Amino acid sequence: MRGRIHSLDTFGTVDGPGIRFVLFMQGCALQCGFCHNPDTWETATGHVVEVASVLDEIEPFLPYYRSSNGGLTVTGGEPTLQAPFVAALFREAKKRWNLHTALDSSGFCEPEHAGELMDVTDLVLLDLKHIRSDKHQALTSQPNERILRFARWLSDRGQPVWIRHVLIPGVTDDAADLLELGRFIGSLGNVHKLEVLPYHRMGVYKWEQLGKAYPLEHVPTPSDRELERAKRLIDQGREQA
């Protein structure tokens, strides 16, 4: 089984619980205006690897993952575009080492393509970019109906999920939208954690290297107060659900 990857990180600390091996897959159907890895969008670039070679990369660091209750996270790009490869990788990591598996996904995936993958996934890090479909399309190039359908499917399965929402001043911080996002999250029965993440500009240089105009050039990073406000509004919406 072969997959096309962008890169890997052997000491990830923000992609699920504990210390984690993080594999970045190549290819994404979204083109988010704030993406810090636009070089992962194209499906035909990157490096072709086999499951066995990825497992060889993981093995030397197993003591760190085990001692921290960490594991393996596959992100992207969008990992569900290569669901059979990721499923095979997760299955073998569990068979060999009983390693915790996490999938970091935008949710832009039809459920029928992800059943086998979810069977060997312990945690989904689900990135909800925007609750309003028109604003979602303006931000990511795609509407969000498929994503919300995928989120409900995960809830129906009882699949453990951490919800992530990036707070972008003037883009994803409208009070009514945050309340609506909270109501949607509150309707799900599988959300173990909510993370409101600050927009950052660390990937701007990649846009420049690719010769792409950066859409959020004049957007500032949100303050701690703005993050607290957003979290409060989302929680308020969850309570209303």
Side-chain angles (χ1 to χ4, degrees):
M1 177 67 72
R2 293 181 175 181
R4 194 174 289 271
I5 72 166
H6 172 270
S7 56
L8 58 86
D9 181 1
T10 59
F11 206 82
T13 58
V14 295
D15 301 284
I19 299 169
R20 309 190 70 82
F21 184 97
V22 184
L23 187 69
F24 295 83
M25 303 302 295
Q26 188 70 33
C28 188
L30 303 184
Q31 295 187 2
C32 298
F34 61 96
C35 182
H36 56 273
N37 288 316
D39 47 343
T40 65
W41 291 353
E42 293 295 332
T43 57
T45 57
H47 311 283
V48 176
V49 298
E50 296 184 351
V51 166
S53 65
V54 178
L55 295 170
D56 288 343
E57 295 279 358
I58 294 172
E59 191 165 19
F61 304 97
L62 283 173
Y64 296 102
Y65 308 143
R66 286 173 168 159
S67 64
S68 66
N69 293 317
L72 165 62
T73 297
V74 177
T75 181
E78 175 49 54
T80 60
L81 288 180
Q82 301 185 66
F85 172 82
V86 182
L89 175 62
F90 279 1
R91 188 179 304 109
E92 193 61 27
K94 285 189 165 298
K95 179 181 176 181
R96 292 192 186 190
W97 308 308
N98 195 30
L99 203 59
H100 182 275
T101 56
L103 185 81
D104 183 7
S105 173
S106 70
F108 195 74
C109 174
E110 292 297 343
E112 58 265 27
H113 297 152
E116 181 182 359
L117 174 55
M118 288 302 107
D119 288 342
V120 287
T121 299
D122 295 311
L123 175 68
V124 177
L125 310 175
L126 184 62
D127 302 313
L128 296 183
K129 320 286 188 183
H130 211 297
I131 193 62
R132 282 186 47 178
S133 190
D134 58 337
K135 292 183 178 181
H136 191 280
Q137 184 157 2
L139 181 62
T140 72
S141 80
Q142 297 287 352
N144 70 357
E145 286 81 6
R146 179 183 293 184
I147 292 166
L148 300 185
R149 185 164 61 247
F150 187 75
R152 292 190 183 98
W153 177 74
L154 292 175
S155 179
D156 291 343
R157 283 178 58 96
Q159 197 91 33
V161 162
W162 289 5
I163 297 290
R164 290 174 156 181
H165 179 67
V166 177
L167 188 70
I168 308 172
V171 180
T172 66
D173 62 349
D174 180 81
D177 294 340
L178 291 169
L179 285 168
E180 183 60 28
L181 175 62
R183 283 190 284 269
F184 176 76
I185 294 171
S187 73
L188 306 176
N190 60 334
V191 179
H192 291 208
K193 187 176 181 179
L194 168 66
E195 295 180 317
V196 180
L197 306 176
Y199 159 76
H200 63 73
R201 298 172 53 83
M202 289 187 288
V204 174
Y205 75 95
K206 292 187 177 182
W207 289 73
E208 295 171 348
Q209 290 175 346
L210 294 169
K212 295 178 180 290
Y214 186 64
L216 305 180
E217 180 59 41
H218 302 293
V219 177
T221 299
S223 65
D224 289 343
R225 177 177 291 184
E226 289 172 308
L227 289 168
E228 291 167 3
R229 166 188 172 271
K231 181 67 162 53
R232 185 169 62 251
L233 285 166
I234 295 172
D235 285 341
Q236 184 179 336
R238 293 176 73 179
E239 292 171 0
Q240 295 172 0

